[in-house]
Structures are given as structure tokens and as C-alpha cells.
Amino acid sequence: MASALSITPRSAGARRPVRVLKFGGTSMGTTPEELARIARIVAAAHARSDVVVVVSARGDRTDRLIDEARSANAAPPGRELDQLLATGEAGSAALLAIALHGLGVPAVSLLGSQAGFTVSGRHANGRIQDVDTSRVRQALSRGEAAVVAGFQGVNAAGDVITLGRGGSDTSAVALAVALGAAQCEIYTDVDGVFSADPRIVPGARPIPLLRSGVMSEMAHAGARVLHTRSVELAGRAGVDLHVRSTFSRNPGTVVVSGQEGADIAMLETEDRVTAVSHEPHSARVTAVGTSPDAPLLGTEVLALLADASVPIDVLSRFTDASHGHGWDFTVPAADVDTVTSLLTSLPCRVAVDPAVAKVSLVGAGLMSDTRTLARMLNALLAAGIDPLSLSTSQSRISATVGEADCSRAVAVMHGEFMPVPEPCGATKRTAVAVGSPV
């Protein structure tokens, strides 16, 4: 079993506070001008603090590397694919360090392994086991900015293991934890976290302050601003996250790890919904026993998927007199082939709907208000959207809908629970305009 992430307090002799900054692929960009913008932000931070920067691959570099791998082999081996994909972040780190030197800022680029990341688990889905910050601390003691390639580490055998898409967020949070930083700053291409995707709901509201538990549910339900595991790690370790735009001075969103100041003034009479999240690329899987006498499938189905690191959601078990029993759940669309292949080994019939989206209300105490679920269903049905399946909890209510209805479902649910205020004298709208499904 993997050991807990090591947390080494900052040495007593540190003269300046440590700031951990993370820049995503869209922030890093693909042009010299975009790289120079990031370098200036880092240089300004370095003038006041010890700085550790975690970077993603620039632009769509990861996607292009995947395409190159698949052009060479339709099913590239996991080890070699991780070796390849890690070069995207490595290149970003080296380029940013070069740009910083050009501004007169001493800097050193570090691969995940050089920055002390030990990772366990499967290729493309590694879990951080330990962070040895000694080399990062040495760089800081020399006055250098440490620029770390995110998304990666090495296992006990010395092989590169990547953390999954969005894993650079988790790399940054892990460094903030290990270095004793109180906050991790996530720079991205949006102005923080919103009550829904602004591309779908133009009137979506910025959320200045969030509890980490609510943000974790939003990320798990499809909000792509932060990697789900980065929020979970920050919440457990007591590190706040500051999500801000690389391209504006807007204050962004602070995700707090404790209770202080985040939604704690909510009264029982107020709406409990914080946001509407969505995951447009899901698949609905139904696995039914071949006969009423077939062995129970639950353990076998869930164990197979867990061993293959396939995340499931919106899970329900059903029993039918003629067909026996079965399971209904969602998986990421990218995992459909894996799921289908695994379940063929079991005594069951498998049906897959690959064109499903998951839309979710996220908040606190959702089911304590008995009207919440009814309001959600009534709003969807009134819009001609019939949910395929449902999952409820105090912090999230999820429905699966046809992929083509995803954007409309998000807008309908946001309009029901967080209607956009109308300007004085304007005619009240009955729906929120939306664009094409994403």
C-alpha cells in the first residue's frame, strides 16, 4: 500500500515565504509572446518571494503527442506513451527557465523525478506517493526560481508515470503541501470558478469563495477548472487554492480548505445549490445477469473496473424477475472499450450507450430540502429532457441525459436554481439562451 504523501515543513532559516504557482497549457501558449507573459508574472513573484513554478505542456502539445503515438501504433504501450507525454511538460519547464534567465531571474528547470516525485500505480493514472523536496529547496536557497515539469514522477523501478490529464494541478498542490506553503496559485485561461460553464450559460456567476468539499464535487462532476485529485489533496492538507486568470487582473476564486468564510452564512431558507457542473463525454453501461440464477455480479463488476482504474458514477443496482439482477452506471467515454472488454469475461449481457452526458447540481445539504430533486426533475421534463438515470447525495444530484441535450440541461438547471437577475424594466426571461453542445 502506498505511503502517505510526505510533508516536510519549511526550514526555520527560510528568509522569504514560498509561493507555488501553476500554469496550464493554455496559459503557457505556443508563441514567444505568451511565454514572455508567464515569465514576467513569475519574475514579479520572485522579486518578493521564493518561487516554485509548475507547468503543463504548452497549448495542445499533449494531444499532438498522443496523435503521433497512435500514428505509429494504434495501441501504444502505456510505458512508452508516458515516456513520450512527459516530454511536453519537460519542454515547457526548460523554455520558461530560459525565458526567466533572459529577464535576469536565476532559474532551474526540473523534471518530476528531479523534483522528487515518487509515483505509484498504473501508467497514465499514477498516484503521488512521496515528494522529496531537497533539490527544490537547494534551488530556492541559491535564490533560483524552481520550474518543475508537472503531471509526472517516477516509480520504484525508475520508470516515468504520469498522473492523468490535468495532473499538473496535483503536482503543484503536492509541492505546496511538501514545502509548507499555505496556498497554491493556479493560473488558467478563465477568471476563476463559475456557477456554470459561461460558454453554455452566459449569465453564470463568478464564485469568489468556495469550500474545498464543494469544489471537489464540482470537479468530480465535470468542472474542468481544477483536477479533482488536486482539490482533494489540498483539502486534506489544509492548503488553499487560488484560481485566477493569466490574462486579467480579476480576483478569481479562492478554494478554502477549512470552514472560514466559505458559504457558512447559508440559512435553511436559502437555496443550497452552488453550481451546475457537467461532463459531456460519458457513457452509460448496463450489465445484466444472464439468468435469475446467475451469481451476483456486483463484486466482480466493481473489482474488474477498479483494477483497471476505470472511474464509475451514477451507480444503481436493479432486480428484474425475468432478467435477474444487474447494474447501471456511467464511465468516461474514453473507457468504453476497456469496460466492454473486461465485462465480456462475466456471465452477463452488456449494453453501452456511448452518447450520454452527466449534469449535476452541486452544493451543500441538497437533499435536506425535499423540494430540490422535484424542482430539478420538473425543470428538465418541462424542457423536454427525460433523465436516463439519477444519483443523489447531500452534496450532489446527478442526472444522465442524451449528449445532445447536455448544454440545454445545464442552462435549464441553472435557470431554475440560480436565475440571472433581469435589468430594471426588462421582460422576464423564461429560459437562458445557450450555444451548441460542448
Side-chain angles (χ1 to χ4, degrees):
M1 183 174 180
S3 62
L5 175 65
S6 297
I7 303 176
T8 306
R10 193 165 59 243
S11 63
R15 293 173 298 173
R16 304 198 300 174
V18 176
R19 288 179 63 181
V20 178
L21 288 65
K22 181 265 175 178
F23 293 93
T26 52
S27 294
M28 293 295 295
T30 58
T31 67
E33 293 76 19
E34 289 168 317
L35 183 65
R37 178 192 296 115
I38 302 301
R40 289 193 296 269
I41 293 173
V42 175
H46 183 265
R48 300 183 298 274
S49 310
D50 289 340
V51 173
V52 178
V53 187
V54 177
V55 294
S56 299
R58 301 184 73 192
D60 62 352
R61 178 63 176 160
T62 299
D63 290 331
R64 288 188 286 115
L65 287 172
I66 292 173
D67 290 342
E68 289 177 20
R70 289 178 177 165
S71 68
N73 181 343
R79 180 190 183 279
E80 305 311 325
L81 188 58
D82 271 2
Q83 289 276 111
L84 177 65
L85 296 184
T87 65
E89 278 71 17
S92 289
L95 280 171
L96 180 54
I98 291 169
L100 287 169
H101 278 283
L103 294 178
V105 177
V108 59
S109 64
L110 300 170
L111 304 176
S113 57
Q114 295 170 324
F117 280 85
T118 302
V119 178
S120 60
R122 297 173 179 270
H123 287 288
N125 194 36
R127 294 294 190 272
I128 298 171
Q129 183 173 344
D130 185 32
V131 183
D132 178 356
T133 59
S134 56
R135 191 161 179 182
V136 171
R137 292 175 186 275
Q138 289 169 9
L140 298 181
S141 69
R142 296 191 298 264
E144 296 172 330
V147 186
V148 178
F151 172 66
Q152 61 185 267
V154 292
N155 62 13
D159 288 332
V160 173
I161 302 284
T162 63
L163 306 181
R165 297 302 291 263
S168 292
D169 289 350
T170 303
S171 298
V173 172
L175 276 169
V177 172
L179 292 167
Q183 186 180 85
C184 181
E185 303 170 44
I186 307 292
Y187 283 83
T188 182
D189 60 345
V190 295
D191 291 331
V193 182
F194 284 74
S195 58
D197 188 334
R199 295 171 299 176
I200 295 175
V201 183
R205 306 168 185 172
I207 306 175
L209 207 58
L210 273 173
R211 288 194 183 116
S212 60
V214 175
M215 185 67 243
S216 180
E217 287 285 1
M218 290 174 63
H220 185 72
R224 302 194 183 281
V225 179
L226 289 169
H227 194 225
T228 306
R229 284 157 43 200
S230 73
V231 184
E232 294 166 354
L233 176 57
R236 291 198 307 270
V239 172
D240 294 345
L241 302 176
H242 193 169
V243 184
R244 57 176 64 174
S245 173
T246 307
F247 310 102
S248 77
R249 295 182 178 273
N250 290 331
T253 299
V254 176
V255 180
V256 297
S257 57
Q259 301 293 322
E260 296 81 7
D263 298 331
I264 59 176
M266 182 180 292
L267 301 177
E268 287 193 313
T269 55
E270 294 177 334
D271 265 331
R272 291 165 163 79
V273 177
T274 299
V276 179
S277 295
H278 71 288
E279 174 50 73
H281 306 301
S282 295
R284 183 185 177 205
V285 180
T286 304
V288 184
T290 52
S291 75
D293 300 325
L296 291 177
L297 292 171
T299 302
E300 293 88 342
V301 169
L302 300 182
L304 279 175
L305 299 181
D307 288 344
S309 300
V310 175
I312 65 173
D313 200 10
V314 195
L315 172 70
S316 63
R317 184 180 187 273
F318 59 86
T319 302
D320 182 274
S322 60
H323 295 94
H325 66 277
W327 294 88
D328 188 314
F329 53 90
T330 63
V331 298
D335 290 324
V336 165
D337 290 343
T338 299
V339 171
T340 304
S341 175
L342 289 171
L343 297 188
T344 55
S345 65
L346 299 179
C348 64
R349 293 184 298 274
V350 178
V352 177
D353 182 350
V356 166
K358 180 174 65 180
V359 292
S360 304
L361 296 178
V362 181
L366 298 181
M367 296 304 293
S368 293
D369 185 344
T370 56
R371 302 167 300 170
T372 304
L373 181 58
R375 287 176 62 190
M376 173 180 163
L377 287 175
N378 287 338
L380 290 173
L381 292 172
I385 302 171
D386 190 4
L388 304 172
S389 56
L390 289 166
S391 176
T392 65
S393 75
Q394 280 286 66
S395 54
R396 178 162 62 98
I397 302 177
S398 295
T400 56
V401 300
E403 192 172 52
D405 289 327
C406 180
S407 293
R408 197 157 55 92
V410 171
V412 166
M413 289 163 58
H414 193 278
E416 171 66 24
F417 290 94
M418 290 165 285
V420 179
E422 291 293 331
C424 294
T427 302
K428 182 177 178 60
R429 289 181 292 181
T430 57
V432 179
V434 300
S436 302
V438 296

